[in-house]
Every structure is written in structure tokens, then in C-alpha cells.
Amino acid sequence: MREKMPEEKLRNWNMPEKAGLVLEGGGSRGVFTAGILDYFMERGMYFPYVVGVSAGACNALDYISAQIGRSRDTFIIRDKSLRSFSFFNLFKTGYLYDMDKPFRDFPYRDFPFDFDTFKQSGITCEMVVTNVDTGRPEYLSENEDNDRILDICRASSTLPFAAPIVTIDGKRYMDGGLSDSIPYGRSIRLGFKKHVVILTRCAGYRKKLKSKSSELIRMAYKNEPVIVRSCIVRPKVYNRQLDILERLEREGRVFVIRPTEKEVSRTELNTDSLDRFYQHGYNTGIEIYDRMIEYLMSP
């Protein structure tokens, strides 16, 4: 079970000024980020601004609510009846995921989410979504309405084929990774001087430019040309983001944290593999912590 952050630490959150935390998605690979953030929370290390995509948005909520272990518990589902991913869902609904489980049942019942601490944190949280009608990323936040907080996170996590399009405030949204997979640019544009980026892929990774799923996407979303285009150009856009990020890293303008051991797959269900990748994240947090603080405190 997760542990609650002691009240005395909540009163002493260490928020480095002008620093943004950027969290990539990656489905089950988000358990790596969960390990890192659990260690940050143990150290009382909180950023004034957090932006997350998909699984990274889920990580962001648990980090800001100061719930050590909650992301771990929701990524590593040991009770099979609680798992949202199944091929049964595909045959029953046409989608691979039952999104009501992670975004309704979990926060309100199975793994209660601390909405009050999230709202009172003083941290700005943005979750990246893709507007289905424009193809552009939007950076949504909410600090009052519990259901809207969860709906934004659901939209940020809604991949094609995985779940139906989510409507918020009359606009249709899907996974933020379709338009801005690693939103360090958002942190830069908002004027933050330091940027810590947590990736869920090892150094050197690049997406393949041609996908076997392109034709499936064209058929499944024949009435949604913007989704089709976003999916097809995503590898090129993502690889370009990595090229720029690596240049910024070499120049010392960003601090990038990434796995150095074999990653799990996006849909990994094996609890041993997920436990290993979570522990790798936690150990990585320990390893990079002092260097990260040095970067954040540098001119």
C-alpha cells in the first residue's frame, strides 16, 4: 500500500524557483517515473510547475498529491480483476482499455486519490491533450472540480484504439503524445529557467518512421483526418523533439533523467518486470539526485 506524506513535510516543501518538471508518457513505462518521483517525495523535493503527458500526467497527479507509492500501485496491478487493459474489452467495446477503472474506480475507491492535498499544494500542474479537430496540443489544468481533473488526465492518456475520444468543455481530445510527447518546450515558453525532464526510454532511442499500424489507423479513423495525420507524423515529430532535447542537454540547459536498463513495453502486465523497472526508477532517483540539485542551484 502507498504511504502518505507526513504533514510536517507538506509544510516544508522545497520548491526550487523558476524550475519546471517535465514527465514523458509511455504506458506501463511510467512505472520508472513513479520510482523516481517516490524518491523525490521522500526527500521533500517538489517543483513549482509540473507538466505531464499520458502516463506522465498520471504520475504528475500522484506526485503533487504527495502520495508516495500510489503511482506504483496503479501501474503494478496485482489483482487481475482491477486491470483496465484486456482483449475482452476490445471485443466488448471496440477498445483495449476500460478507462473508467483508472479514472473513476481507482481514485474514488480502489486507490483513493487525495484531491485536497493536490488542490492545496500550490504547484501548477498542466496535462497535455491533443485537440482532435485541430491536431494541436493544449495544456489543461484544473484545481477545483475533482471529475474535471480526472477527465483531463483521461484525455491525456487516450491513445487511438485504446479508448474513445474524451469531450471536455465541448472540445474533443485524445492523448497528448500525439502532438507534444515531451513538453519541455512548454516549460521553456512559460519562462522557467531550469528544466528537469524524465524520459521513459533509454538514450539513443528513436521511433521508426514507418508504422505497420498506419493503414489500420486510416481505416479506424477515416472520419477523423486530423487523428490520422497526427499518428502518421508522430514518429518524425518525436524524433525531432529528442534531437533538440539532446542538444539542450549537451549545452547544460536541461537536466534529463532516463532509464539505463532495458525498458518494459507500453502494455507490460508482468508484475515482476514492472517491479524491476519501478526499482530501477527509484535507484536512478537516488543516483542522480545530487547532480540534479547542483544543476538546479547553478546560475
Side-chain angles (χ1 to χ4, degrees):
M1 292 296 291
R2 64 194 176 281
E3 302 171 25
K4 187 73 173 67
M5 177 67 71
E7 289 187 7
E8 61 271 16
K9 279 204 171 183
L10 293 178
R11 292 194 296 268
N12 291 288
W13 278 2
N14 177 20
M15 295 186 181
E17 293 184 2
K18 295 296 181 182
L21 178 63
V22 179
L23 308 177
E24 184 185 20
S28 295
R29 287 191 294 275
V31 77
F32 172 77
T33 304
I36 294 172
L37 296 183
D38 277 355
Y39 181 71
F40 284 5
M41 285 188 275
E42 289 177 4
R43 294 295 298 263
M45 181 64 186
Y46 289 83
F47 288 74
Y49 170 75
V50 184
V51 58
V53 182
S54 195
C58 299
N59 289 129
L61 295 188
D62 293 334
Y63 170 68
I64 295 171
S65 66
Q67 290 179 272
I68 297 174
R70 185 179 186 275
S71 282
R72 177 197 63 212
D73 292 346
T74 54
F75 279 111
I76 309 176
I77 300 297
R78 303 182 194 281
D79 182 346
K80 293 182 179 180
S81 70
L82 297 180
R83 289 177 179 171
S84 57
F85 172 86
S86 77
F87 289 103
F88 175 75
N89 291 332
L90 181 63
F91 293 123
K92 181 181 177 182
T93 68
Y95 297 100
L96 285 167
Y97 284 86
D98 176 359
M99 297 293 268
D100 282 341
K101 286 187 176 180
F103 297 107
R104 281 298 180 269
D105 297 348
F106 285 8
Y108 287 121
R109 186 188 66 199
D110 302 309
F111 305 95
F113 180 72
D114 189 342
F115 289 100
D116 289 338
T117 298
F118 176 84
K119 295 173 185 178
Q120 296 165 13
S121 69
I123 296 172
T124 299
C125 175
E126 291 191 323
M127 293 174 275
V128 188
V129 295
T130 299
N131 187 307
V132 168
D133 298 304
T134 67
R136 300 293 299 170
E138 295 184 21
Y139 307 89
L140 304 184
S141 60
E142 177 59 50
N143 203 45
E144 293 184 5
D145 187 310
N146 292 358
D147 285 348
R148 191 171 186 273
I149 292 169
L150 299 174
D151 286 344
I152 294 171
C153 195
R154 179 196 293 241
S156 183
S157 306
T158 297
L159 281 167
F161 302 115
I165 293 168
V166 178
T167 300
I168 302 172
D169 302 331
K171 296 182 180 180
R172 302 186 305 150
Y173 296 111
M174 291 192 77
D175 190 281
L178 296 177
S179 55
D180 192 358
S181 296
I182 317 171
Y184 57 87
R186 176 65 172 176
S187 182
I188 293 171
R189 289 192 297 274
L190 289 176
F192 292 97
K193 304 303 181 184
K194 300 289 183 174
H195 317 276
V196 174
V197 181
I198 301 181
L199 302 179
T200 58
R201 291 282 197 178
C202 293
Y205 172 79
R206 293 295 187 275
K207 286 188 180 295
K208 295 180 180 179
L209 294 180
K210 292 185 178 181
S211 171
K212 295 180 181 179
S213 63
S214 295
E215 287 306 315
L216 286 175
I217 291 169
R218 286 190 175 95
M219 289 188 292
Y221 291 94
K222 60 183 179 182
N223 297 321
E224 301 288 354
V226 174
I227 293 179
V228 174
R229 173 169 172 75
S230 296
C231 291
I232 291 173
V233 303
R234 186 189 180 199
K236 184 176 181 180
V237 173
Y238 180 79
N239 292 346
R240 177 60 177 161
Q241 280 190 308
L242 283 175
D243 290 341
I244 296 172
L245 182 64
E246 290 173 2
R247 174 174 59 79
L248 294 174
E249 183 182 17
R250 290 193 298 271
E251 294 172 355
R253 296 169 61 186
V254 298
F255 188 92
V256 181
I257 308 169
R258 52 172 71 82
T260 56
E261 298 181 3
K262 181 177 174 58
E263 314 106 327
V264 297
S265 72
R266 171 179 287 277
T267 57
E268 182 62 69
L269 296 176
N270 182 279
T271 56
D272 290 338
S273 298
L274 293 170
D275 282 331
R276 174 192 62 78
F277 205 45
Y278 166 82
Q279 191 61 47
H280 177 47
Y282 186 87
N283 292 340
T284 299
I286 296 172
E287 179 185 344
I288 60 84
Y289 190 79
D290 289 342
R291 286 189 287 114
M292 181 185 71
I293 296 299
E294 183 178 357
Y295 159 77
L296 291 171
M297 299 302 292
S298 65

